[in-house]
């Protein structure tokens, strides 16, 4: 929605125009967003300062209300033992609960008007406000900010960011969580194309993971597809200049989709779908979501970050806060190091996931492709958790490989599978028993100084992440690997279970974790062999955590056994 800012500010001395005058005169006190930092990723270069008259788009995250009540409602609608289970909130219900106070809305809008902001757009929940202004106005508005143009990434993407922290006037700080479009660089895909394993002979072997291999391993029959008679749907999100092409999907289904019913095209694109070359990441997401969740209407959220000051992931969150009717399942292959994000940003994004959970959305995020991760803090190595994988309000998907890479066999850990313990979020109550059991019983624990044992532990589940075939730009590409592959597969299977639930008159699964942990991973193949990678030093020698019976921070509860998982999740 477009926000009409007041036509002119009041002329009282305490007005926001007066505040802006004090800012100009250098006589205003400021409050910084905590621990802001701009970390220049490898391969990115500064092209210098931006023309002061150039236009910027900035997003202001306005302070929300009633977050404790929201948390309680999420627990109630997601817990099968609760009388409110499955009675999800509408977007309008969420808006009424969390929308900023009238004081916050009035104060921020007048502040922006005084600064010359224009073309401001809000969302249904009124807790985000995106406005246009010149660089000169933005640097005046956000003391300390200094906008530079950067170029980098595989597609030589251009972005505008501030290498310096900004500060808000202290009168504004209680009303704004953070300002988006200043510090966060677009993450690059961690998908890998691995060398083809060598094996003698080929009798009874497969030559990489395809939909038929997925369906065989996870025990899906030709009848395990969408009915085409419900309003069930599923979605994936693509960022940066990552696009899918309908022609690639058609070729993929021609090659690999002959033995199951499927839809021929994406039902809806939300956002801007560019005309550039297809990206492997976007192609993979669409092709495997639509072949695992076969014959189910599929949406693609496309947030390419067309304007250099936009943050694509933030644009996706805004879309979720502005649509009343959404697919029940969303899969996202996106992640940042927790330590690269400000606490204000990470906590607010976590609240956005809470809003989605209250509405009955299942958000699945890839766990990452760096194992436990590694970084040095004050000269000591530690594991490096990833976000949003570490959010307690999403279901995080790790990765596995076949024990024999050319046979449909039991699965072992894929050494890249992201997992570990959050340094930001405490362990949620739903996983207390499982994580305590792992910490008590695992025979291969890293030194305790490497991780925060009391943090939210992830992943929650896993699926095959090694050796996929993908069609991109009309070319079949083998041996593509990463948790970006396992995530849409698991999401597609949950969409099939939602199909059964909807046909039986039941609500979609919603936020899955409380139920998943209550049922101790029932319906999943337990992965008990293998460890993932971590710091290459003498102390841990490249080894992070190891899988074992039950839940573990490498493959979660395990990988889907579809008939058993359907039986477990169909009721109530």
């Amino acid at each position: 929605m477009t926000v009409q800012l007041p036509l002119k500010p009041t002329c009282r001395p305490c007005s926001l125009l007066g505040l802006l005058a004090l800012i100009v005169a250098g006589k205003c006190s400021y409050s910084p967003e905590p621990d802001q930092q701009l970390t220049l990723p490898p391969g990115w270069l500064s092209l210098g300062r931006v023309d002061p008259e150039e236009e910027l788009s900035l997003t202001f995250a306005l302070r929300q209300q009633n977050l404790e009540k929201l948390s309680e409602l999420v627990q109630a609608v997601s817990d099968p033992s609760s009388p409110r289970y499955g009675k999800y909130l509408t977007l309008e219900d969420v808006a009424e609960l969390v929308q900023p106070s009238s004081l916050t809305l009035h104060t921020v809008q007048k502040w922006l008007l005084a600064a010359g902001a224009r073309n401001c757009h809000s969302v249904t929940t009124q807790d985000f406000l995106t406005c246009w202004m010149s660089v000169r106005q933005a640097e005046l508005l956000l003391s300390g900010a200094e906008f530079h143009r950067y170029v980098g990434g595989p597609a030589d993407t251009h972005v505008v960011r501030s290498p310096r922290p900004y500060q808000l006037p202290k009168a504004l700080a209680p009303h704004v969580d953070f300002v988006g479009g200043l510090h966060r660089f677009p993450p690059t895909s961690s998908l890998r194309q691995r060398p083809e394993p060598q094996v003698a002979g080929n009798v009874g072997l497969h030559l990489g993971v395809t939909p038929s291999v997925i369906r065989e391993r996870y025990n899906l029959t030709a009848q395990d597809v969408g009915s085409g008679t419900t309003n069930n749907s599923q979605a994936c999100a693509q960022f940066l200049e990552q696009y899918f092409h309908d022609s690639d999907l058609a070729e993929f289904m021609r090659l690999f989709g002959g033995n199951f019913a499927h839809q021929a095209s994406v039902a809806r694109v939300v956002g801007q779908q560019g005309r550039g070359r297809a990206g492997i990441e976007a192609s993979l997401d669409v092709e495997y979501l639509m072949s695992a969740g076969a014959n189910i209407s599929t949406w693609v959220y496309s947030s390419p970050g067309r304007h250099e000051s936009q943050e694509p992931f933030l644009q996706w969150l805004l879309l979720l806060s502005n649509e009343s009717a959404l697919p029940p399942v969303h899969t996202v292959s996106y992640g940042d190091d927790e330590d690269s994000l400000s606490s204000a940003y990470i906590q607010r994004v976590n609240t956005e996931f809470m809003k989605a959970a209250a509405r009955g959305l299942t958000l699945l995020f890839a766990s990452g492709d760096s194992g436990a991760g590694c970084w040095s803090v004050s000269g000591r190595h530690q594991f490096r958790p990833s976000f949003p994988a570490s959010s307690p309000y999403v279901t995080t998907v790790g990765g596995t490989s076949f024990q024999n890479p050319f046979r449909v066999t039991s699965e072992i850990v894929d050494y890249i599978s992201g997992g570990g313990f959050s340094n930001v979020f405490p362990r949620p109550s739903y996983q207390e028993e499982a994580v305590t059991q792992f910490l008590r019983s695992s025979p291969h624990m890293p030194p305790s100084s490497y991780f925060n044992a009391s943090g939210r532990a992830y992943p929650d589940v896993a699926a095959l992440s090694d050796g996929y075939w993908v069609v991109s730009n009309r070319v079949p590409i083998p041996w593509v690997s990463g948790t970006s592959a396992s995530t849409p597969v698991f999401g597609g299977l949950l969409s099939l279970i939602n199909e059964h639930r909807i046909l039986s008159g039941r609500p979609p699964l919603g936020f899955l974790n409380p139920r998943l942990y209550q049922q101790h991973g029932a319906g999943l193949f337990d992965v008990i062999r293998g460890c993932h990678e971590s710091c290459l030093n003498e102390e841990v020698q490249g080894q992070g955590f190891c899988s074992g019976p039950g839940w573990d921070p490498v493959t979660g509860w395990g990988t889907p056994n579809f008939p058993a998982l359907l039986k477990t999740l169909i009721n109530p």
Side-chain angles (χ1 to χ4, degrees):
M1 71 178 74
T2 301
V3 176
Q4 296 296 328
L5 297 182
L7 290 178
K8 58 182 181 179
T10 60
C11 297
R12 297 193 309 260
C14 59
S15 73
L16 270 295
L17 188 58
L19 174 61
L20 191 68
L22 291 174
I23 294 172
V24 174
K27 297 178 181 178
C28 192
S29 57
Y30 293 91
S31 178
E33 177 189 327
D35 55 293
Q36 295 174 62
Q37 53 190 321
L38 183 141
T39 304
L40 193 62
W44 285 79
L45 297 172
S46 172
L47 301 180
R49 293 198 62 171
V50 181
D51 184 327
E53 301 312 315
E54 190 166 321
E55 293 288 297
L56 287 177
S57 167
L58 297 178
T59 297
F60 299 84
L62 276 56
R63 188 68 48 87
Q64 299 153 313
Q65 301 188 96
N66 302 314
L67 298 187
E68 192 170 319
K69 176 67 173 174
L70 179 65
S71 176
E72 292 169 1
L73 285 169
V74 169
Q75 177 64 27
V77 301
S78 307
D79 182 351
S81 64
S82 164
R84 285 211 57 171
Y85 179 67
K87 296 176 181 177
Y88 304 126
L89 278 65
T90 65
L91 177 60
E92 291 68 30
D93 293 334
V94 172
E96 188 175 341
L97 187 66
V98 306
Q99 68 184 26
S101 69
S102 56
L103 175 62
T104 290
L105 292 170
H106 181 73
T107 302
V108 174
Q109 289 176 9
K110 292 190 74 175
W111 174 58
L112 290 170
L113 172 70
R118 53 199 170 276
N119 296 332
C120 291
H121 295 267
S122 187
V123 293
T124 301
T125 48
Q126 297 189 55
D127 47 5
F128 286 106
L129 196 56
T130 300
C131 297
W132 288 87
M133 64 193 73
S134 70
V135 168
R136 186 191 309 280
Q137 290 167 327
E139 291 181 348
L140 180 63
L141 188 70
L142 304 168
S143 177
E146 184 180 280
F147 289 92
H148 292 237
R149 179 168 281 105
Y150 296 87
V151 61
D156 283 339
T157 303
H158 285 71
V159 300
V160 170
R161 298 291 186 267
S162 171
R164 297 174 54 193
Y166 68 88
Q167 293 184 318
L168 293 170
K170 282 199 172 176
L172 266 296
H175 302 289
V176 177
D177 286 333
F178 70 86
V179 183
L182 278 90
H183 295 128
R184 285 160 287 278
F185 276 87
T188 55
S189 171
S190 56
L191 276 178
R192 312 178 186 189
Q193 189 175 9
R194 294 181 182 167
E196 179 179 346
Q198 299 301 307
V199 66
N202 60 6
V203 177
L205 304 181
H206 68 81
L207 296 176
V209 175
T210 63
S212 62
V213 170
I214 294 280
R215 298 179 78 82
E216 180 181 349
R217 168 56 187 157
Y218 297 142
N219 293 322
L220 282 85
T221 69
Q223 286 69 50
D224 289 318
V225 296
S227 65
T229 62
T230 72
N231 61 354
N232 189 20
S233 56
Q234 57 190 0
C236 59
Q238 60 188 29
F239 304 113
L240 309 178
E241 297 295 334
Q242 279 278 339
Y243 306 114
F244 77 95
H245 285 177
D246 283 323
S247 57
D248 289 337
L249 177 63
E251 178 66 6
F252 178 84
M253 291 301 186
R254 186 187 71 80
L255 292 170
F256 304 120
N259 59 354
F260 56 91
H262 57 266
Q263 298 206 352
S265 61
V266 167
R268 182 178 174 190
V269 176
V270 182
Q272 300 166 314
Q273 166 73 353
R275 299 180 180 274
R277 286 175 58 81
I280 292 183
E281 181 96 55
S283 303
L284 171 73
D285 286 344
V286 171
E287 289 163 9
Y288 280 91
L289 182 60
M290 292 186 69
S291 54
N295 210 35
I296 289 175
S297 177
T298 301
W299 297 17
V300 173
Y301 283 82
S302 184
S303 303
R306 284 288 186 77
H307 191 272
E308 294 174 336
S309 62
Q310 291 176 338
E311 296 179 30
F313 182 67
L314 191 56
Q315 298 304 307
W316 175 72
L317 289 176
L318 267 62
L319 288 171
L320 293 190
S321 278
N322 215 29
E323 291 237 6
S324 295
L326 292 170
V329 172
H330 295 250
T331 76
V332 187
S333 303
Y334 163 91
D336 270 315
D337 296 322
E338 263 190 356
D339 57 89
S340 72
L341 303 168
S342 77
S343 59
Y345 178 85
I346 205 169
Q347 293 290 351
R348 175 56 185 265
V349 171
N350 190 57
T351 299
E352 296 308 302
F353 297 150
M354 206 191 311
K355 285 162 57 179
R359 297 172 64 191
L361 303 184
T362 305
L363 303 185
L364 295 108
F365 276 84
S367 70
D369 298 338
S370 302
C374 185
W375 68 316
S376 181
V377 183
S378 302
R380 287 194 56 82
H381 286 97
Q382 293 180 6
F383 295 158
R384 194 173 201 181
S386 175
F387 179 81
S390 65
S391 167
Y393 292 102
V394 305
T395 299
T396 304
V397 185
T400 61
S401 304
F402 282 125
Q403 187 168 338
N404 179 326
F406 287 99
R407 295 187 184 277
V408 181
T409 59
S410 59
E411 293 161 76
I412 59 174
V413 169
D414 185 348
Y415 68 91
I416 65 162
S417 180
F421 296 78
S422 173
N423 289 323
V424 175
F425 301 106
R427 184 189 307 160
S429 59
Y430 61 73
Q431 63 172 192
E432 183 68 38
E433 179 186 349
V435 177
T436 300
Q437 175 64 21
F438 169 80
L439 293 171
R440 184 188 301 130
S441 62
S442 176
H444 304 291
M445 289 295 291
S448 60
S449 61
Y450 276 70
F451 64 100
N452 172 29
S454 64
R456 186 310 203 219
Y458 70 97
D460 305 297
V461 294
L464 285 163
S465 57
D466 184 21
Y468 278 67
W469 280 89
V470 180
V471 174
S472 190
N473 298 298
R474 299 287 187 96
V475 178
I477 302 169
W479 304 110
V480 175
S481 300
T483 54
S484 297
S486 55
T487 306
V489 166
F490 207 101
L493 299 190
L494 291 182
S495 292
L496 293 180
I497 294 172
N498 274 341
E499 184 86 357
H500 285 268
R501 290 179 61 87
I502 292 168
L503 288 170
S504 302
R506 295 181 177 87
L509 287 166
F511 175 44
L512 187 61
N513 292 10
R515 181 169 187 162
L516 185 70
Y517 283 82
Q518 276 186 27
Q519 297 177 338
H520 299 94
L524 299 168
F525 291 118
D526 197 2
V527 180
I528 59 173
R529 290 189 54 196
C531 308
H532 62 183
E533 62 186 358
S534 73
C535 302
L536 287 169
N537 61 2
E538 290 186 10
E539 199 167 19
V540 296
Q541 299 181 23
Q543 181 174 293
F545 298 100
C546 297
S547 63
W551 179 90
D552 57 70
V554 191
T555 59
W557 286 106
T559 63
N561 177 4
F562 182 74
L565 191 61
L566 174 61
K567 184 177 179 181
T568 299
L569 296 179
I570 189 67
N571 293 308

